[in-house]
Amino acid sequence: MLICLPPSEGKTPAPDDGAPVDLAALTAPELTAQREAVLDALATASARDDATAVLKVGAGLAEEVARNTRLRTAPTAPATDVYTGVLYAAAGLAELDGEAAARAAADVRTFSGLWGVVAPSDRIPAYRLSMGVTLPGVGGLATAWRPHLTAALAERAAGDVVVDCRSSAYVSAWKPATTGDHAAEWVTVRVVREADGERTVVSHNAKHTRGVLTGHLLRRRAAPPTSATGLLAAARELDGEVIGTQVGTGLSYRMVAAELHEATGARRPHTLELVIA
């Protein structure tokens, strides 16, 4: 399996004694030249008077934007310590050890507007840059990264199941091939709430539930799934389990079903629907 994650919006800065980033040491070193280009363009854009507008963030994040001008010398930490949002907390990636940690190193990739893609142990500084930004000197980041990510990930995904937990901006930067020599079974993960016989897509708790699924796939004793049907079987192991606590009410919610919906056309993903109640 290949689990594709979005970055967390907020990033936790590394301890001051962390070494600076070594671009060539990051996963997929063939991305180094593009990482250099984006890093330089980001530093330039972040020094502008209108930097927050260019990077599409509020004025309250001006300090984080200013930090982008110092990324080459900023301290680094493993990506699992820098990305600390809801999904990452639920997955518990930073606490993995042994076989689960080895599985994460091989099977988890976080997509990034700055780095393209990183593995859990890659050492990076905290930064502020969304894939939805049009960066002066580079252009729209999803478009700029697409050919590089396609070349870097095609063989890794071929013949495997791609478990896609990303948001739309990051999906647009790389879509696995579903036909041809590098075909993969591409499955997006959707979370819905069931109440009174009706199912509705949720935003609250969706990231958390995807994180729980990610952590389960990494920690389970069985071999990683390599197909969409194998992924469905693994997800169904969570049926009936308490997934988390509903924001605002304090009530717990469970996963009550997992269903697989077939792709609706070429270059379209299957959908793994996780039902919570």
Side-chain angles (χ1 to χ4, degrees):
M1 67 181 173
L2 175 62
I3 303 176
C4 299
L5 302 181
S8 57
E9 283 195 27
K11 285 57 169 202
T12 299
D16 290 340
D17 59 354
V21 65
D22 180 357
L23 295 181
L26 300 180
T27 294
E30 62 268 39
L31 299 177
T32 299
Q34 181 67 3
R35 287 167 174 153
E36 292 270 11
V38 176
L39 188 57
D40 288 344
L42 177 60
T44 299
S46 298
R48 290 169 45 157
D49 291 339
D50 61 347
T52 55
V54 171
L55 299 185
K56 298 182 179 180
V57 299
L61 295 175
E63 184 175 337
E64 291 187 28
V65 170
R67 192 167 58 207
N68 286 341
T69 65
R70 305 184 295 273
L71 292 179
R72 287 190 179 275
T73 58
T76 62
T80 50
D81 293 340
V82 174
Y83 298 129
T84 52
V86 172
L87 186 156
Y88 289 84
L93 296 183
E95 288 80 47
L96 295 178
D97 57 16
E99 185 176 342
R103 185 175 289 184
D107 296 345
V108 173
R109 295 293 179 267
T110 295
F111 285 71
S112 164
L114 177 54
W115 316 114
V117 67
V118 293
S121 62
D122 284 348
R123 298 187 65 88
I124 58 173
Y127 64 96
R128 176 61 69 162
L129 181 65
S130 168
M131 189 67 84
V133 166
T134 297
L135 193 61
V138 173
L141 288 172
T143 300
W145 276 114
R146 192 173 301 135
H148 303 281
L149 292 174
T150 297
L153 295 171
E155 289 192 11
R156 171 61 185 83
D160 213 339
V161 60
V162 176
V163 186
D164 203 338
C165 297
R166 298 173 296 165
S167 54
S168 58
Y170 293 89
V171 170
S172 65
W174 179 69
K175 298 178 180 180
T178 55
T179 59
D181 293 341
H182 294 109
E185 289 199 72
W186 178 21
V187 185
T188 61
V189 180
R190 179 172 63 197
V191 181
V192 299
R193 180 179 300 282
E194 185 171 81
D196 300 323
E198 298 289 333
R199 293 181 179 180
T200 55
V201 176
V202 295
S203 53
H204 286 307
N205 311 123
K207 289 181 180 179
H208 180 90
T209 303
R210 293 188 186 102
V212 170
L213 174 66
T214 297
H216 173 66
L217 292 173
L218 297 172
R219 291 180 175 88
R220 61 196 293 268
R221 292 179 179 272
T226 57
S227 67
T229 54
L231 173 63
L232 175 63
R236 283 179 170 169
E237 294 167 358
L238 292 170
D239 281 2
E241 290 199 14
V242 173
I243 297 297
T245 303
Q246 185 174 336
V247 176
T249 68
L251 298 175
S252 63
Y253 59 94
R254 298 175 181 269
M255 201 182 89
V256 298
E259 299 175 356
L260 184 67
H261 302 281
E262 297 298 320
T264 57
R267 293 305 305 272
R268 301 282 296 176
H270 306 294
T271 300
L272 176 64
E273 187 169 83
L274 305 180
V275 185
I276 62 174

